[in-house]
Short mmCIF file of all heavy atoms in Angstrom, two decimals:
data_model
loop_
_atom_site.label_atom_id
_atom_site.label_comp_id
_atom_site.label_asym_id
_atom_site.label_seq_id
_atom_site.Cartn_x
_atom_site.Cartn_y
_atom_site.Cartn_z
N VAL A 1323 93.05 105.56 101.98
CA VAL A 1323 92.17 105.35 103.14
C VAL A 1323 92.32 103.93 103.67
O VAL A 1323 92.43 103.71 104.88
CB VAL A 1323 90.71 105.65 102.76
CG1 VAL A 1323 89.77 105.24 103.89
CG2 VAL A 1323 90.53 107.13 102.44
N SER A 1324 92.33 102.96 102.76
CA SER A 1324 92.46 101.55 103.18
C SER A 1324 93.75 101.32 103.96
O SER A 1324 93.76 100.65 105.00
CB SER A 1324 92.42 100.64 101.95
OG SER A 1324 91.19 100.71 101.29
N GLU A 1325 94.85 101.89 103.47
CA GLU A 1325 96.14 101.70 104.14
C GLU A 1325 96.14 102.34 105.53
O GLU A 1325 96.69 101.76 106.49
CB GLU A 1325 97.25 102.28 103.28
CG GLU A 1325 97.52 101.48 102.02
CD GLU A 1325 98.59 102.10 101.13
OE1 GLU A 1325 98.82 103.33 101.24
OE2 GLU A 1325 99.21 101.37 100.34
N LEU A 1326 95.55 103.53 105.64
CA LEU A 1326 95.50 104.19 106.95
C LEU A 1326 94.67 103.40 107.94
O LEU A 1326 95.05 103.26 109.11
CB LEU A 1326 94.94 105.61 106.78
CG LEU A 1326 95.94 106.69 106.40
CD1 LEU A 1326 95.21 107.99 106.10
CD2 LEU A 1326 96.95 106.92 107.51
N LEU A 1327 93.53 102.90 107.50
CA LEU A 1327 92.69 102.12 108.39
C LEU A 1327 93.41 100.86 108.87
O LEU A 1327 93.37 100.51 110.05
CB LEU A 1327 91.38 101.75 107.69
CG LEU A 1327 90.43 102.92 107.39
CD1 LEU A 1327 89.26 102.45 106.54
CD2 LEU A 1327 89.92 103.54 108.69
N GLU A 1328 94.07 100.18 107.94
CA GLU A 1328 94.80 98.96 108.31
C GLU A 1328 95.95 99.27 109.26
O GLU A 1328 96.20 98.52 110.21
CB GLU A 1328 95.32 98.27 107.04
CG GLU A 1328 94.22 97.68 106.17
CD GLU A 1328 94.74 97.17 104.84
OE1 GLU A 1328 95.97 97.25 104.62
OE2 GLU A 1328 93.92 96.70 104.03
N ALA A 1329 96.63 100.38 109.02
CA ALA A 1329 97.76 100.76 109.88
C ALA A 1329 97.31 101.07 111.30
O ALA A 1329 98.06 100.88 112.26
CB ALA A 1329 98.49 101.96 109.30
N ASN A 1330 96.07 101.55 111.43
CA ASN A 1330 95.53 101.88 112.75
C ASN A 1330 94.75 100.72 113.37
O ASN A 1330 94.13 100.89 114.42
CB ASN A 1330 94.63 103.12 112.66
CG ASN A 1330 95.42 104.41 112.50
OD1 ASN A 1330 95.85 105.00 113.48
ND2 ASN A 1330 95.63 104.82 111.27
N GLY A 1331 94.76 99.58 112.68
CA GLY A 1331 94.06 98.43 113.22
C GLY A 1331 92.56 98.61 113.28
O GLY A 1331 91.88 98.00 114.11
N ARG A 1332 92.02 99.46 112.41
CA ARG A 1332 90.60 99.73 112.43
C ARG A 1332 89.99 99.35 111.07
O ARG A 1332 90.63 99.47 110.03
CB ARG A 1332 90.34 101.22 112.70
CG ARG A 1332 90.98 101.70 114.00
CD ARG A 1332 90.79 103.17 114.20
NE ARG A 1332 89.38 103.50 114.41
CZ ARG A 1332 88.94 104.74 114.65
NH1 ARG A 1332 89.81 105.74 114.69
NH2 ARG A 1332 87.66 104.97 114.82
N HIS A 1333 88.77 98.90 111.13
CA HIS A 1333 88.12 98.45 109.91
C HIS A 1333 86.69 98.98 109.82
O HIS A 1333 85.75 98.21 109.68
CB HIS A 1333 88.13 96.92 109.83
CG HIS A 1333 89.51 96.34 109.88
ND1 HIS A 1333 90.35 96.28 108.80
CD2 HIS A 1333 90.21 95.82 110.93
CE1 HIS A 1333 91.50 95.74 109.15
NE2 HIS A 1333 91.44 95.45 110.44
N PRO A 1334 86.53 100.31 109.90
CA PRO A 1334 85.18 100.84 109.78
C PRO A 1334 84.69 100.77 108.33
O PRO A 1334 85.49 100.65 107.40
CB PRO A 1334 85.34 102.30 110.21
CG PRO A 1334 86.75 102.62 109.84
CD PRO A 1334 87.53 101.36 110.07
N GLU A 1335 83.41 100.84 108.17
CA GLU A 1335 82.86 100.89 106.83
C GLU A 1335 83.23 102.23 106.19
O GLU A 1335 83.22 103.26 106.85
CB GLU A 1335 81.34 100.74 106.88
CG GLU A 1335 80.88 99.33 107.22
CD GLU A 1335 81.34 98.32 106.16
OE1 GLU A 1335 81.21 98.63 104.95
OE2 GLU A 1335 81.85 97.26 106.55
N PHE A 1336 83.57 102.22 104.91
CA PHE A 1336 83.71 103.49 104.21
C PHE A 1336 83.27 103.33 102.77
O PHE A 1336 83.36 102.25 102.19
CB PHE A 1336 85.14 104.05 104.32
CG PHE A 1336 86.15 103.47 103.36
CD1 PHE A 1336 86.35 104.03 102.10
CD2 PHE A 1336 86.93 102.38 103.72
CE1 PHE A 1336 87.29 103.51 101.24
CE2 PHE A 1336 87.88 101.86 102.86
CZ PHE A 1336 88.05 102.42 101.61
N GLN A 1337 82.75 104.40 102.24
CA GLN A 1337 82.30 104.44 100.85
C GLN A 1337 82.96 105.62 100.15
O GLN A 1337 83.19 106.66 100.77
CB GLN A 1337 80.78 104.61 100.77
CG GLN A 1337 79.98 103.40 101.16
CD GLN A 1337 78.49 103.71 101.06
OE1 GLN A 1337 77.99 104.58 101.75
NE2 GLN A 1337 77.80 103.01 100.18
N LEU A 1338 83.23 105.43 98.87
CA LEU A 1338 83.82 106.51 98.09
C LEU A 1338 82.94 106.79 96.88
O LEU A 1338 82.62 105.88 96.11
CB LEU A 1338 85.24 106.15 97.65
CG LEU A 1338 86.05 107.30 97.06
CD1 LEU A 1338 87.51 107.21 97.47
CD2 LEU A 1338 85.93 107.35 95.55
N PHE A 1339 82.51 108.03 96.74
CA PHE A 1339 81.70 108.45 95.61
C PHE A 1339 82.58 109.23 94.63
O PHE A 1339 83.31 110.14 95.05
CB PHE A 1339 80.55 109.34 96.08
CG PHE A 1339 79.66 108.66 97.08
CD1 PHE A 1339 79.92 108.77 98.44
CD2 PHE A 1339 78.56 107.91 96.67
CE1 PHE A 1339 79.12 108.13 99.38
CE2 PHE A 1339 77.76 107.27 97.59
CZ PHE A 1339 78.04 107.38 98.95
N ALA A 1340 82.51 108.87 93.36
CA ALA A 1340 83.32 109.54 92.35
C ALA A 1340 82.40 109.98 91.21
O ALA A 1340 81.64 109.17 90.68
CB ALA A 1340 84.42 108.62 91.83
N THR A 1341 82.48 111.25 90.86
CA THR A 1341 81.58 111.80 89.85
C THR A 1341 82.36 112.55 88.78
O THR A 1341 83.44 113.06 89.02
CB THR A 1341 80.57 112.78 90.49
OG1 THR A 1341 81.31 113.83 91.14
CG2 THR A 1341 79.71 112.07 91.53
N ASP A 1342 81.77 112.61 87.58
CA ASP A 1342 82.38 113.36 86.50
C ASP A 1342 81.31 113.68 85.46
O ASP A 1342 80.33 112.95 85.31
CB ASP A 1342 83.51 112.57 85.84
CG ASP A 1342 84.42 113.45 85.00
OD1 ASP A 1342 84.13 113.67 83.82
OD2 ASP A 1342 85.42 113.94 85.56
N LEU A 1343 81.52 114.76 84.74
CA LEU A 1343 80.60 115.17 83.69
C LEU A 1343 80.64 114.24 82.49
O LEU A 1343 79.68 114.12 81.74
CB LEU A 1343 80.98 116.60 83.25
CG LEU A 1343 79.90 117.48 82.63
CD1 LEU A 1343 78.74 117.65 83.58
CD2 LEU A 1343 80.50 118.85 82.29
N ASP A 1344 81.77 113.57 82.28
CA ASP A 1344 82.00 112.76 81.09
C ASP A 1344 81.60 111.31 81.34
O ASP A 1344 82.27 110.58 82.08
CB ASP A 1344 83.48 112.85 80.70
CG ASP A 1344 83.77 112.19 79.35
OD1 ASP A 1344 82.91 111.45 78.85
OD2 ASP A 1344 84.86 112.43 78.81
N SER A 1345 80.53 110.86 80.71
CA SER A 1345 80.04 109.50 80.95
C SER A 1345 81.03 108.45 80.44
O SER A 1345 81.12 107.35 81.01
CB SER A 1345 78.68 109.30 80.28
OG SER A 1345 78.77 109.50 78.87
N PHE A 1346 81.79 108.76 79.36
CA PHE A 1346 82.78 107.81 78.87
C PHE A 1346 83.89 107.60 79.91
O PHE A 1346 84.36 106.48 80.13
CB PHE A 1346 83.39 108.30 77.55
CG PHE A 1346 82.42 108.23 76.40
CD1 PHE A 1346 81.89 109.38 75.85
CD2 PHE A 1346 82.04 107.01 75.86
CE1 PHE A 1346 81.00 109.32 74.78
CE2 PHE A 1346 81.16 106.93 74.80
CZ PHE A 1346 80.63 108.10 74.26
N ALA A 1347 84.30 108.70 80.55
CA ALA A 1347 85.33 108.59 81.59
C ALA A 1347 84.82 107.76 82.76
O ALA A 1347 85.56 106.94 83.33
CB ALA A 1347 85.74 109.98 82.07
N ILE A 1348 83.56 107.94 83.11
CA ILE A 1348 82.97 107.17 84.21
C ILE A 1348 82.97 105.68 83.87
O ILE A 1348 83.22 104.82 84.73
CB ILE A 1348 81.54 107.66 84.51
CG1 ILE A 1348 81.59 109.02 85.20
CG2 ILE A 1348 80.79 106.66 85.37
CD1 ILE A 1348 82.13 109.00 86.61
N ASP A 1349 82.67 105.33 82.62
CA ASP A 1349 82.69 103.93 82.21
C ASP A 1349 84.07 103.31 82.41
O ASP A 1349 84.20 102.17 82.87
CB ASP A 1349 82.27 103.79 80.74
CG ASP A 1349 80.78 104.06 80.53
OD1 ASP A 1349 80.03 103.98 81.52
OD2 ASP A 1349 80.39 104.35 79.38
N ILE A 1350 85.11 104.07 82.05
CA ILE A 1350 86.48 103.58 82.25
C ILE A 1350 86.77 103.42 83.74
O ILE A 1350 87.33 102.41 84.18
CB ILE A 1350 87.49 104.55 81.61
CG1 ILE A 1350 87.30 104.59 80.09
CG2 ILE A 1350 88.93 104.14 81.94
CD1 ILE A 1350 88.11 105.66 79.39
N ALA A 1351 86.35 104.41 84.53
CA ALA A 1351 86.59 104.36 85.98
C ALA A 1351 85.89 103.18 86.61
O ALA A 1351 86.44 102.48 87.47
CB ALA A 1351 86.13 105.67 86.62
N ARG A 1352 84.66 102.95 86.20
CA ARG A 1352 83.88 101.86 86.80
C ARG A 1352 84.52 100.50 86.51
O ARG A 1352 84.54 99.61 87.36
CB ARG A 1352 82.44 101.90 86.26
CG ARG A 1352 81.51 100.90 86.93
CD ARG A 1352 80.09 101.04 86.41
NE ARG A 1352 79.47 102.28 86.89
CZ ARG A 1352 79.08 103.28 86.10
NH1 ARG A 1352 79.26 103.19 84.79
NH2 ARG A 1352 78.52 104.34 86.62
N ALA A 1353 85.07 100.34 85.30
CA ALA A 1353 85.72 99.06 84.94
C ALA A 1353 87.01 98.86 85.72
O ALA A 1353 87.38 97.73 86.05
CB ALA A 1353 85.98 99.02 83.44
N GLY A 1354 87.73 99.95 86.01
CA GLY A 1354 88.95 99.85 86.82
C GLY A 1354 90.11 99.17 86.12
O GLY A 1354 91.00 98.63 86.79
N ARG A 1355 90.14 99.18 84.80
CA ARG A 1355 91.23 98.57 84.04
C ARG A 1355 92.17 99.65 83.53
O ARG A 1355 91.73 100.63 82.93
CB ARG A 1355 90.69 97.76 82.87
CG ARG A 1355 90.01 96.45 83.27
CD ARG A 1355 89.71 95.60 82.03
NE ARG A 1355 89.26 94.27 82.42
CZ ARG A 1355 87.99 93.93 82.55
NH1 ARG A 1355 87.04 94.83 82.34
NH2 ARG A 1355 87.65 92.70 82.89
N TYR A 1356 93.50 99.43 83.72
CA TYR A 1356 94.48 100.44 83.34
C TYR A 1356 95.69 99.77 82.70
O TYR A 1356 95.99 98.60 82.98
CB TYR A 1356 94.90 101.25 84.57
CG TYR A 1356 93.72 101.97 85.20
CD1 TYR A 1356 93.06 101.44 86.30
CD2 TYR A 1356 93.24 103.16 84.65
CE1 TYR A 1356 91.96 102.09 86.86
CE2 TYR A 1356 92.14 103.81 85.19
CZ TYR A 1356 91.51 103.27 86.30
OH TYR A 1356 90.41 103.90 86.83
N PRO A 1357 96.41 100.49 81.84
CA PRO A 1357 97.58 99.90 81.17
C PRO A 1357 98.73 99.66 82.14
O PRO A 1357 98.78 100.21 83.25
CB PRO A 1357 97.95 100.96 80.13
CG PRO A 1357 97.42 102.24 80.68
CD PRO A 1357 96.16 101.88 81.41
N LYS A 1358 99.68 98.86 81.70
CA LYS A 1358 100.81 98.50 82.56
C LYS A 1358 101.72 99.68 82.87
O LYS A 1358 102.55 99.61 83.78
CB LYS A 1358 101.60 97.37 81.92
CG LYS A 1358 100.85 96.05 81.92
CD LYS A 1358 101.70 94.87 81.50
CE LYS A 1358 100.92 93.56 81.64
NZ LYS A 1358 101.72 92.38 81.24
N THR A 1359 101.53 100.78 82.15
CA THR A 1359 102.34 101.97 82.40
C THR A 1359 102.05 102.61 83.76
O THR A 1359 102.77 103.50 84.18
CB THR A 1359 102.10 103.01 81.30
OG1 THR A 1359 100.70 103.11 81.02
CG2 THR A 1359 102.81 102.61 80.02
#
């Protein structure tokens, strides 16, 4: 989404909601840290 907005010269507000049943997975997602692979 960010790349498309930048390519079109537009910068509207956008929000992304991400949900999952697994609270441990959500904790990993919230931190946003991933291996070099």
